[in-house]
């Protein structure tokens, strides 16, 4: 009889414990995979925002229009010398005098739209949104002069909020970031002629408090106009919110890649996306008769994911910029 158990030998795992280990391994694998997706998506997003910052800086400088990078973009430049990781847009401010000549300045709007492929959207009476090639944008806010040598933010949800009345010397005259000695070393991917306010440290300290040099995810300082749903997610479900942003990023890259390709504007990222879709569609067509419906659905979903993820990867490592 070989059924006797060897004395002192460790017992094997029970089926129930094996199932627990398998579930834990699957959950850990999903977490690692999703974290990788988040890293690639957010890196691609940062690359796209860098492109927006570079393009808008060059266009404004070329036509001698006054401006300064502001809010989260200013914070990232002064604190870290780069666009903040996981930042979702770029923020730029202009005085009313610049807004009044924005479209009348010969060549500026054409430079953005025809040469660089941007779309300019009017958000209200003053505010503009400048959409770049991959769908990321710069929000352009307008500051108007007020009494007692102050200026106030006159656009968007911030308009006429008391916390956005600043002494004019805080903001003007603007200066190139390269001449501001207290700024962090600038990323070589950004132009040194980028302009910042006259007193950026004062602006940042007022807006984000004395601890502005300490990174805090999605912290917007004393801005009173927050979405309550976003506030809840930032506080109680940060990782879920980050994954939402990551998949939103992939969806934006996928849709804008198709739009660019339809206009025959082909980049490396577009080429990778279209090639993945064509190759995946061919494989799906060949395999479909042998697959069940749920298998076809999962394969199609995987193809769509790869068609978004691979261009994002090329953006993240700088191939498509």
């Amino acid at each position: 009889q070989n059924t006797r158990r060897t004395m002192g030998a460790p017992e094997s795992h029970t089926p129930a414990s094996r199932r627990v280990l398998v579930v834990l391994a699957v959950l850990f694998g999903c977490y690692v995979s999703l974290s990788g997706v988040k890293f690639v998506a957010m890196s691609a997003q940062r690359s796209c925002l860098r492109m927006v910052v570079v393009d808008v800086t060059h266009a404004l400088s070329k036509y001698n229009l006054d401006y300064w990078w502001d809010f989260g973009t200013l914070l990232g430049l002064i604190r870290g010398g780069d666009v903040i990781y996981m930042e979702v847009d770029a923020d730029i401010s202009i005085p009313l005098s610049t807004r009044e000549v924005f479209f009348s300045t010969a060549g500026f709007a054409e430079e953005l739209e025809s040469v660089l492929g941007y779309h300019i959207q009017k958000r209200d009476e003053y505010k503009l949104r400048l959409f770049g090639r991959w769908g990321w944008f710069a929000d352009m806010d307008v500051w108007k002069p007020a009494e007692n040598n102050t200026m106030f933010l006159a656009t968007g949800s911030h308009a006429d909020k008391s916390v956005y009345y600043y002494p004019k010397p805080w903001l003007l005259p603007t200066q190139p970031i390269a001449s501001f000695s207290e700024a962090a070393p600038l990323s070589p991917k950004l132009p040194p002629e980028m302009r910042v306010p006259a007193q950026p440290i004062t602006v940042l300290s007022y807006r984000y408090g004395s601890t502005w040099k300490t990174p805090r995810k999605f912290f917007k300082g004393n801005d009173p106009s927050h979405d309550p749903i976003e506030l809840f997610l930032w506080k109680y479900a940060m990782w879920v919110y980050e994954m939402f942003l990551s998949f939103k990023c992939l969806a934006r890259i996928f849709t804008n890649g198709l739009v660019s390709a339809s206009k025959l504007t082909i980049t490396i990222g577009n080429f990778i996306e279209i090639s993945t879709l064509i190759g995946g569609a061919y494989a799906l067509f060949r395999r479909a008769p042998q697959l069940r419906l749920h298998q076809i659905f999962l394969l199609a979903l995987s193809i769509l994911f790869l068609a978004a993820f691979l261009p994002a990867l090329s953006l993240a490592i700088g191939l498509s910029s």
Side-chain angles (χ1 to χ4, degrees):
Q1 295 291 329
N2 295 323
T3 59
R4 289 182 301 172
R5 182 172 298 176
T6 305
M7 296 297 294
E11 294 186 10
S12 61
H13 291 293
T14 63
S17 64
R18 288 199 194 98
R19 284 196 294 269
V20 171
L21 290 175
V22 168
V23 169
L24 290 176
V26 169
L27 290 175
F28 179 73
C30 289
Y31 175 79
V32 171
S33 300
L34 290 174
S35 296
V37 169
K38 182 181 75 170
F39 177 76
V40 169
M42 292 298 99
S43 298
Q45 178 168 263
R46 182 188 244 183
S47 294
C48 291
L49 286 174
R50 285 193 191 114
M51 284 190 269
V52 170
V53 170
V54 170
D55 291 342
V56 174
T57 294
H58 287 164
L60 288 166
S61 300
K62 180 178 179 179
Y63 293 95
N64 296 315
L65 296 174
D66 203 10
Y67 73 95
W68 63 91
W69 291 101
D70 210 346
F71 296 99
T73 307
L74 175 65
L75 179 61
L77 292 174
I78 300 299
R79 186 175 66 194
D82 203 349
V83 175
I84 294 176
Y85 183 70
M86 297 201 72
E87 183 67 280
V88 298
D89 62 7
D91 298 295
I92 190 169
S93 288
I94 56 175
L96 181 61
S97 56
T98 296
R99 179 64 176 84
E100 290 172 343
V101 299
F102 191 87
F103 290 101
S104 61
T105 299
F108 175 69
E110 290 78 5
E111 176 88 13
L112 280 177
E113 295 182 320
S114 301
V115 179
L116 298 174
Y118 276 57
H119 169 62
I120 302 175
Q121 181 186 84
K122 293 183 178 180
R123 303 288 289 177
D124 57 30
E125 182 182 359
Y126 299 108
K127 187 182 183 78
L128 298 171
R129 182 165 284 180
L130 314 178
F131 285 92
R133 286 164 287 178
W134 285 96
W136 275 267
F137 54 85
D139 271 334
M140 181 173 279
D141 292 310
V142 174
W143 291 75
K144 297 176 67 176
E147 298 177 350
N148 301 320
N149 200 31
T150 61
M151 300 182 74
F152 72 94
L153 185 58
T155 53
S157 58
H158 311 292
D160 294 319
K161 304 292 186 187
S162 60
V163 296
Y164 287 110
Y165 277 79
Y166 289 7
K168 186 177 178 180
W170 288 10
L171 305 175
L172 299 174
T174 61
Q175 59 180 318
I177 191 170
S179 67
F180 184 64
S181 60
E182 296 182 61
L186 189 65
S187 167
K189 297 179 180 179
L190 296 175
E193 66 268 24
M194 299 172 65
R195 302 195 74 83
V196 296
Q199 300 180 33
I201 300 298
T202 304
V203 171
L204 293 174
S205 297
Y206 174 75
R207 191 175 287 161
Y208 301 105
S210 60
T211 60
W212 63 270
K213 290 186 178 181
T214 302
R216 284 179 283 178
K217 287 184 179 180
F218 307 111
F219 177 66
K220 292 185 177 289
N222 61 10
D223 183 358
S225 52
H226 290 314
D227 184 332
I229 297 178
E230 284 188 336
L231 284 174
F232 175 83
L233 290 173
W234 295 345
K235 189 172 183 179
Y236 300 108
M238 179 71 74
W239 194 82
V240 173
Y241 184 68
E242 290 175 352
M243 290 311 306
F244 165 75
L245 290 180
S246 300
F247 282 101
K248 182 180 178 181
C249 168
L250 294 181
R252 181 177 289 178
I253 289 173
F254 178 76
T255 54
N256 280 276
L258 290 181
V259 170
S260 297
S262 69
K263 297 178 181 178
L264 301 181
T265 305
I266 304 299
T267 65
I268 292 177
N270 301 136
F271 177 77
I272 292 173
E273 179 177 345
I274 298 303
S275 300
T276 303
L277 287 174
I278 293 175
Y282 176 75
L284 185 61
F285 176 78
R286 292 290 303 271
R287 295 283 297 173
Q290 307 163 19
L291 300 176
R292 296 182 179 180
L293 186 61
H294 74 279
Q295 293 173 321
I296 294 174
F297 174 77
L298 290 175
L299 182 57
L301 199 63
S302 300
I303 293 168
L304 291 176
F305 173 77
L306 286 175
F309 180 80
L310 294 178
L313 183 60
S314 72
L315 283 164
I317 61 179
L319 287 179
S320 297
S321 57

